[in-house]
Amino acid sequence: MAGSMLMAFQSVILLVILRRTMDLAAAGIFTIANANANLFLTVGKFGMKNFQVSDVKKQFGFAEYRCSRWISSAAMIAVSCVYVLIASIKNGYSAEKSMIIIWMCLYKVVDAIEDVYYGEYQQKNRLDVGAKALTLRMVATVLIFAAVVIITRNLLVSMIISTVATALLAFILIWTTAREFEDTRQRSPEMKRVMQLMWLCLPLFLGAFLAFYIGNAPKYSIDAILSDELQACYGFISMPVFVIGLLNNFIFNPLIYRMSCLWNENKIGSFIKRTLIQTIIVCIITAVCVGAAYICGIPILSWLYNTDLSAYKNELLVMLLGGGFLGLSGLLNIIITIMRRQPALLIGYVVTAALALAFSNTVVRRYGVMGAAAFYTVIMLVLCVIFAVIFIIGIVKKKGEKECSSTV
């Protein structure tokens, strides 16, 4: 819980520190840089974590997982640089803003490389080892960023120093913890199997990439059409959205391995029951978050970010409703991956990404920040409906296979 909370809230914490030491425009630049970095992080992680953890039949060894992560991380760096070059020309970024985005992407590369090791630990039922290392690195990095930004009042310098520091910490922590696991000492992956692994995870990567694009499409529209100041305000009210998914992950992540076993053992009834329980939990968390935001959300956010956000109460409530759909779609994504029907996920992501690409700019241009919030919620709802249909079809097919095998 501590590690997940720090991972999810590090951008919130960094943004709070930044807003109290620099102006609103700097906060806006950080918001779009963080959005871009998280988008390209999906390239680095390649959607592989849940596949790796749920690989209870040992289809691939750690050597293959690690080699594939080095390839995807290199691709992440290349794609980030190309995107920043294009966006700089198209949107008229300053040299400093472009460099901040690049360094934020490099900062996230560390998360991608570290993730494959901690996935191995979790697959060996030692999630606690990776969690402790992650928590330690997150705390140290936040403190370093805070100290540098307060001293220098320069976002670019702060990102450079924080990136170098977090990379060194990750190396030390991986080197220290990996020695406890025999499989991490495998040195010679078979490139044929690495390519096979990446092919199997390609739908998961494409899904994760499109999911982040969908979730951040309003931010890209704001970046292209509105100002850095409005980008910052949208970033402030959108931060609580991820609380729902975060709280859901606290409960669900430790159950991935167990649910994988239920599915592989054909215990369909228990599998469905756990999925429904988790769905109800997401709904309860969403209701509580919306109620709390209605009562005291704006005053707290205004104080936290040192900005008057009283004009954005309705936008906050709409965003939190969208956060509920985000949490539910994330849950269904993991469930469908466990069912090994991950190619079907692309249907939902392609449809909603097409909607975002076609209408996001128009809605934001016409309705501003409220348009961005409402559009986000609608596309998350569409995604949930498509995933629910895929889940039901997968269950029906599994039951049919089970009945056929029983008859034989």
Side-chain angles (χ1 to χ4, degrees):
M1 287 179 66
S4 296
M5 184 173 291
L6 284 166
M7 177 64 78
F9 281 101
Q10 66 167 321
S11 57
V12 179
I13 298 169
L14 298 182
L15 192 56
V16 169
I17 296 167
L18 189 63
R19 182 63 190 94
R20 292 181 176 276
T21 54
M22 298 183 69
D23 59 18
L24 198 59
I29 293 172
F30 179 88
T31 298
I32 193 63
N34 189 58
N36 283 323
N38 280 313
L39 176 67
F40 298 130
L41 180 58
T42 61
V43 178
K45 290 187 174 182
F46 213 72
M48 201 173 290
K49 175 69 174 291
N50 293 327
F51 187 95
Q52 180 185 7
V53 174
S54 60
D55 187 10
V56 294
K57 294 181 179 180
K58 312 292 185 183
Q59 185 179 0
F60 298 96
F62 179 71
E64 281 79 37
Y65 284 110
R66 180 176 52 200
C67 182
S68 67
R69 188 58 53 89
W70 282 108
I71 294 172
S72 61
S73 296
M76 175 184 173
I77 296 172
V79 171
S80 300
C81 293
V82 171
Y83 171 83
V84 171
L85 178 62
I86 295 172
S88 298
I89 298 171
K90 182 179 179 181
N91 297 334
Y93 289 172
S94 65
E96 183 178 15
K97 183 174 180 177
S98 298
M99 290 303 298
I100 289 170
I101 296 174
I102 288 175
W103 276 98
M104 178 66 84
C105 293
L106 292 173
Y107 178 90
K108 292 292 183 179
V109 169
V110 178
D111 293 349
I113 295 172
E114 176 188 66
D115 181 71
V116 73
Y117 285 89
Y118 298 165
E120 176 69 13
Y121 303 169
Q122 185 174 357
Q123 211 274 338
K124 294 292 189 295
N125 206 25
R126 290 304 308 274
L127 177 61
D128 59 305
V129 175
K132 290 172 184 175
L134 175 64
T135 303
L136 181 59
R137 183 173 71 85
M138 287 293 101
V139 170
T141 303
V142 168
L143 291 175
I144 291 170
F145 178 88
V148 176
V149 79
I150 289 171
I151 294 170
T152 66
R153 305 293 176 110
N154 187 299
L155 180 55
L156 178 57
V157 172
S158 301
M159 283 308 312
I160 293 172
I161 294 176
S162 298
T163 300
V164 173
T166 201
L168 289 173
L169 282 168
F171 174 79
I172 294 169
L173 290 167
I174 290 171
W175 181 77
T176 303
T177 57
R179 291 179 296 176
E180 299 182 27
F181 300 89
E182 183 178 350
D183 288 350
T184 60
R185 295 192 287 272
Q186 297 177 15
R187 299 297 180 189
S188 303
E190 298 180 22
M191 289 309 299
K192 182 179 179 180
R193 287 177 58 77
V194 171
M195 293 299 105
Q196 182 186 0
L197 170 61
M198 298 192 76
W199 176 254
L200 287 173
C201 290
L202 180 62
L204 294 173
F205 153 64
L206 293 174
F209 185 86
L210 291 174
F212 267 91
Y213 167 73
I214 292 162
N216 288 300
K219 291 182 180 178
Y220 299 131
S221 296
I222 292 172
D223 186 52
I225 297 167
L226 305 179
S227 64
D228 285 334
E229 288 78 9
L230 286 176
Q231 181 75 264
C233 291
Y234 180 83
F236 297 156
I237 64 170
S238 67
M239 284 299 182
V241 166
F242 300 99
V243 172
I244 298 169
L246 174 66
L247 294 175
N248 183 54
N249 287 339
F250 287 164
I251 302 168
F252 187 73
N253 272 345
L255 300 179
I256 295 176
Y257 181 81
R258 196 182 311 168
M259 289 194 70
S260 301
C261 293
L262 290 175
W263 181 256
N264 286 308
E265 293 167 7
N266 287 319
K267 296 179 180 179
I268 309 302
S270 298
F271 186 83
I272 294 173
K273 181 179 178 181
R274 287 189 179 276
T275 302
L276 290 175
I277 290 172
Q278 198 66 26
T279 300
I280 292 170
I281 290 173
V282 173
C283 294
I284 293 172
I285 291 172
T286 302
V288 171
C289 289
V290 171
Y294 179 81
I295 296 170
C296 59
I298 289 299
I300 292 175
L301 289 174
S302 295
W303 171 81
L304 194 63
Y305 293 111
N306 195 31
T307 304
D308 183 11
L309 299 171
S310 56
Y312 298 102
K313 182 174 183 178
N314 291 334
E315 287 86 341
L316 173 62
L317 298 177
V318 171
M319 286 292 296
L320 280 171
L321 181 60
F325 294 132
L326 172 67
L328 185 57
S329 66
L331 168 66
L332 290 172
N333 181 305
I334 295 173
I335 294 294
I336 293 168
T337 300
I338 291 173
M339 297 164 72
R340 289 300 185 256
R341 296 191 178 276
Q342 60 269 22
L345 292 170
L346 282 178
I347 298 172
Y349 288 126
V350 168
V351 169
T352 48
L355 289 173
L357 187 61
F359 300 109
S360 182
N361 281 5
T362 302
V363 173
V364 170
R365 184 178 289 110
R366 186 168 182 178
Y367 299 105
V369 177
M370 173 53 88
F375 188 77
Y376 172 84
T377 300
V378 169
I379 57 177
M380 285 298 126
L381 172 60
V382 171
L383 190 62
C384 283
V385 171
I386 296 173
F387 281 0
V389 172
I390 294 171
F391 170 75
I392 292 169
I393 293 173
I395 291 294
V396 170
K397 287 185 177 180
K398 186 72 170 181
K399 284 186 174 181
E401 294 171 1
K402 185 178 180 182
E403 289 173 2
C404 288
S405 61
S406 298
T407 303
V408 173

